Amino acid sequence: MAIEILATGRYLPERRVTNDELAKTVETNDEWIRSHTGIGSRHFASPDQATSDLAYEAAMDALESLAPGKAAEAALTLDLIVVATGTSDYYGFPSVACLIQDRLGAVNAGAFDVAAACTGFVYALDAAAGMLSFGRRKRALVIGADVLTKITNWEDRGTCVLFGDAAGAAILERTDAPAEGPGKRGIIQSVLKAQGSGAQELKCERGGTRNPYKDGETIEKATHIYMNGRAVYTFAVKAFTDIMQELLDREGITMDRVKKIIPHQANERIVQAAAKRFGLSEDKFFMNIEKYANTSAATIPVALDEYAKTGELKKGDIIMTVGFGGGLTYGGNLIVW
Ligand code: UT7
């Protein structure tokens, strides 16, 4: 019994914003952003688009890939919907997963969200895989979706140039393929980690129960991201390499067996530093940060979908996901396609 990924999907909002366009309203420039992060552009959700709108489109794309022309019927076969997000449509509840369940008409599915920031998809994949591995559940829709541009401080050039909006999705199924031994398939290892001592380094300060907005309060700044970029950078490089090593050790393989690494992409330099520490060529990583910037929980599933649709990924290939982000959280999955 294996937990395999049957199909993937993605959605990027229409509006693409280049570094040059951003530089018209923020004191920055294309050269700084590219040289410090590798980012060239990002996509912005429209004012009337919330996270569930992006997540729904990605889900439909994955369902269409699974069952062309029959996405609505395929939605009925879902037993579970898990959405990784840090930017829910609503404060606390309802979950984005419930909104998706309704829009898809997935009346047979349980639905909940996972809050693990940029590592969210890695966590959600493992949570869904675990839940499919016992009981009657057979099929799950796992989504990573975020609209960070609506919680960005546009006066903080150290963070506002880094983010974009997107959603990615994967459909998981418990199949009869082996999960152990030769010919094994599916999600074969997951490592989930947290370093809660770093919680204050990357957070949204206002609006939660620790520091709620009060009746009658004049709000100078809406809820927005605060990030200690240097601290998160240092954490990320170590987290990245630790996860890669632990996944390999747990599986008892070396990196040459892994065809591609699908990393969280917050800054190209973090991936380059990890590649250097591991003695790997940068080609080992599937990168798209130049086009999309950091889309938080969406980065890994969007990259996975793009990579899967290149046609390069063949049945039996081993791929690795690696994520890190707010919490602080970090983790990865090893998947036999
Ligand atoms: O997915 C969530 C996890 N997030 C991350 O992993 C992000 C991790 N951190 C980073 O990627 C990097 O720390 C940043 C990209 C956020 C910052 O890069 P940095 O090389 O550490 O820059 P810095 O903050 O040390 O700033 C260097 C200089 C400063 O000027 P001075 O003080 O040297 O004169 C900044 O004011 O660059 C300036 N600067 C900018 N200049 C033009 C900062 N942001 C910008 C900007 N445009 N957007």
Side-chain angles (χ1 to χ4, degrees):
M1 185 200 71
I3 311 297
E4 296 191 74
I5 295 179
L6 297 188
T8 57
R10 69 176 184 274
Y11 175 76
L12 277 306
E14 223 168 90
R15 184 158 175 239
R16 177 173 166 266
V17 178
T18 62
N19 293 341
D20 286 334
E21 189 179 341
L22 214 54
K24 289 180 188 155
T25 51
V26 180
E27 199 194 330
T28 189
N29 56 75
D30 181 59
E31 195 283 320
W32 192 95
I33 302 174
R34 280 186 190 275
S35 61
H36 284 74
T37 70
I39 295 166
S41 61
R42 72 284 293 142
H43 289 245
F44 279 17
S46 64
D48 62 346
Q49 273 181 319
T51 298
S52 71
D53 299 313
L54 277 58
Y56 171 76
E57 298 296 341
M60 285 301 285
D61 191 34
L63 288 166
E64 273 295 329
S65 297
L66 180 72
K70 291 186 179 157
E73 287 97 315
L76 293 171
T77 67
L78 297 172
D79 299 303
L80 191 63
I81 299 174
V82 186
V83 178
T85 187
T87 51
S88 297
D89 290 30
Y90 298 102
Y91 173 78
F93 49 87
S95 65
V96 173
C98 281
L99 301 173
I100 299 300
Q101 186 260 350
D102 178 49
R103 279 183 76 177
L104 291 177
V107 293
N108 300 310
F112 66 96
D113 287 359
V114 164
C118 303
T119 323
F121 188 77
V122 168
Y123 268 71
L125 214 51
D126 194 36
M131 290 176 73
L132 292 183
S133 64
F134 67 94
R136 292 187 180 173
R137 295 175 214 100
K138 193 167 163 58
R139 194 174 268 187
L141 168 66
V142 181
I143 303 173
D146 269 307
V147 176
L148 289 179
T149 61
K150 292 200 186 185
I151 57 160
T152 293
N153 177 1
W154 293 103
E155 284 163 19
D156 175 13
R157 66 177 182 170
T159 56
C160 73
V161 302
L162 304 175
F163 305 120
D165 304 328
I171 296 171
L172 262 59
E173 182 163 295
R174 175 160 46 80
T175 70
D176 293 332
E180 294 290 338
K184 68 176 160 186
R185 294 251 285 272
I187 299 166
I188 53 170
Q189 297 288 348
S190 286
V191 174
L192 305 184
K193 301 239 178 189
Q195 189 180 301
S197 57
Q200 304 304 321
E201 309 292 13
L202 182 48
K203 63 182 176 180
C204 288
E205 181 67 41
R206 294 300 312 272
T209 52
R210 174 68 57 200
N211 200 351
Y213 291 121
K214 297 178 186 68
D215 286 352
E217 180 184 352
T218 304
I219 296 164
E220 277 170 30
K221 275 233 152 289
T223 299
H224 63 266
I225 300 168
Y226 159 81
M227 179 171 74
N228 178 348
R230 283 278 168 91
V232 177
Y233 187 97
T234 308
F235 159 78
V237 175
K238 181 166 183 337
F240 212 96
T241 44
D242 284 357
I243 290 297
M244 294 198 295
Q245 193 59 58
E246 188 161 342
L247 284 168
L248 294 178
D249 290 347
R250 283 201 194 181
E251 189 55 21
I253 59 173
T254 47
M255 196 51 103
D256 54 307
R257 293 278 310 282
V258 176
K259 181 157 183 181
K260 213 70 163 180
I261 301 166
I262 314 290
H264 174 58
Q265 297 169 49
N267 184 333
E268 190 178 64
R269 286 161 55 209
I270 294 172
V271 177
Q272 287 165 343
K276 197 167 165 202
R277 274 192 177 197
F278 239 78
L280 293 172
S281 142
E282 284 172 36
D283 295 351
K284 193 86 178 176
F285 299 83
F286 183 84
M287 299 298 291
N288 58 14
I289 189 173
E290 200 276 334
K291 294 187 289 183
Y292 305 140
N294 176 359
T295 60
S296 192
T299 298
I300 290 175
V302 166
L304 179 61
D305 181 59
E306 279 199 334
Y307 180 54
K309 286 175 181 163
T310 61
E312 251 181 69
L313 191 52
K314 305 279 186 255
K315 279 274 167 225
D317 285 344
I318 300 178
I319 55 169
M320 181 187 275
T321 67
V322 191
F324 56 85
L328 300 168
T329 53
Y330 55 122
N333 320 101
L334 210 50
I335 303 163
V336 183
W337 201 249

